[in-house]
Amino acid sequence: MKSFSTEDLKWTREPEVYEIAEDRVTITTQPHTDLWQKTYYQFVNDNAPVLQMETDEPYFSFTVKTEFTQSHTRFDQCGIVVYLDSENWLKGSIEYENEEYQHLGSVVTNHGYSDWATTAIPASVKIIRYRLSRWGADYCIEYSEDELHFQQMRICHLHKGAGTIRFGLYACSPEASSFTAIFSEMSLGECQWLAHDGQQPDEV
């Protein structure tokens, strides 16, 4: 399997301010940037900067450390993403809410409709590690506050998520805000999402 290198990353919507080094990426968000499609709110916002690499490897895990000490306005966010096109993608991140709490959550978008699953965590958390694992067209998002113990956030399916995909990092500020997100300790390796050992698949 090819190892991770920031040299392989390519922009979908390049932000005005960023830095890409061998061991870290920083992105300064621009106001009114986001990724969302239709559901409930009836609006489309598809202008967040996305930095990804391409792969056809069907089984892998990607981990990254995110630091967001500067986030300060509702919905400021940064995290991991699999962005295939404007209507098919997933993201996992923490979204700032207020001085008391923020939302650890994920959005999965298939055929132009987004969902949103969240849990509240203290606003004092300013560093989170994510692990994105791929099993064909199925994906698992996990998070860790200590880099050793990862907890499941989401298992999902991307209808266009088989074959060659792109995955990586994103940051945005849906409201009138800006902050700098820091990504480091990025690695790509064997899939850590193990094969299911419970109920067997139904026969077709």
Side-chain angles (χ1 to χ4, degrees), residues 79-92:
I80 55 171
V81 67
V82 177
Y83 187 90
L84 306 177
D85 56 47
S86 64
E87 296 192 337
N88 298 276
W89 48 265
L90 65 83
K91 65 179 182 178

Side-chain angles (χ1 to χ4, degrees), residues 64-136:
V64 59
K65 175 184 176 183
T66 62
E67 299 178 60
F68 40 95
T69 57
Q70 293 185 16
S71 63
H72 61 277
T73 300
R74 189 173 65 154
F75 304 141
D76 280 352
Q77 60 191 268
C78 64
I80 55 171
V81 67
V82 177
Y83 187 90
L84 306 177
D85 56 47
S86 64
E87 296 192 337
N88 298 276
W89 48 265
L90 65 83
K91 65 179 182 178
S93 66
I94 284 181
E95 299 189 12
Y96 184 90
E97 187 67 30
N98 55 46
E99 293 182 355
E100 295 182 1
Y101 71 93
Q102 51 198 343
H103 285 119
L104 173 68
S106 58
V107 176
V108 177
T109 299
N110 282 302
H111 300 316
Y113 287 89
S114 296
D115 67 29
W116 188 23
T118 68
T119 186
I121 66 172
S124 58
V125 176
K126 293 300 182 182
I127 297 175
I128 284 285
R129 289 169 172 83
Y130 296 100
R131 182 163 68 193
L132 169 71
S133 298
R134 180 189 190 189
W135 195 276

Side-chain angles (χ1 to χ4, degrees), residues 19-204:
E19 182 178 351
I20 300 176
E22 182 179 349
D23 61 347
R24 69 171 42 202
V25 172
T26 64
I27 299 174
T28 299
T29 63
Q30 295 167 239
H32 308 298
T33 51
D34 196 7
L35 295 174
W36 182 265
Q37 283 282 349
K38 300 184 187 70
T39 305
Y40 178 66
Y41 305 109
Q42 303 305 316
F43 63 72
V44 171
N45 202 342
D46 183 45
N47 59 358
V50 173
L51 184 62
Q52 301 185 113
M53 67 174 289
E54 186 173 277
T55 185
D56 58 6
E57 172 59 51
Y59 308 101
F60 69 81
S61 287
F62 168 66
T63 59
V64 59
K65 175 184 176 183
T66 62
E67 299 178 60
F68 40 95
T69 57
Q70 293 185 16
S71 63
H72 61 277
T73 300
R74 189 173 65 154
F75 304 141
D76 280 352
Q77 60 191 268
C78 64
I80 55 171
V81 67
V82 177
Y83 187 90
L84 306 177
D85 56 47
S86 64
E87 296 192 337
N88 298 276
W89 48 265
L90 65 83
K91 65 179 182 178
S93 66
I94 284 181
E95 299 189 12
Y96 184 90
E97 187 67 30
N98 55 46
E99 293 182 355
E100 295 182 1
Y101 71 93
Q102 51 198 343
H103 285 119
L104 173 68
S106 58
V107 176
V108 177
T109 299
N110 282 302
H111 300 316
Y113 287 89
S114 296
D115 67 29
W116 188 23
T118 68
T119 186
I121 66 172
S124 58
V125 176
K126 293 300 182 182
I127 297 175
I128 284 285
R129 289 169 172 83
Y130 296 100
R131 182 163 68 193
L132 169 71
S133 298
R134 180 189 190 189
W135 195 276
D138 297 328
Y139 297 83
C140 179
I141 302 173
E142 299 168 288
Y143 78 99
S144 172
E145 294 187 43
D146 62 9
E147 78 180 289
L148 297 175
H149 305 95
F150 281 86
Q151 300 182 63
Q152 179 181 304
M153 289 173 59
R154 187 72 170 267
I155 291 177
C156 63
H157 181 81
L158 282 178
H159 296 320
K160 294 179 66 174
T164 300
I165 63 159
R166 294 175 301 281
F167 69 94
L169 320 168
Y170 89 101
C172 61
S173 291
E175 298 197 343
S177 176
S178 177
F179 77 101
T180 298
I182 302 172
F183 303 87
S184 62
E185 299 180 21
M186 295 165 279
S187 66
L188 179 65
E190 298 298 322
C191 186
Q192 301 300 304
W193 186 21
L194 302 180
H196 180 55
D197 62 358
Q199 178 179 333
Q200 296 301 304
D202 294 336
E203 294 185 4
V204 178

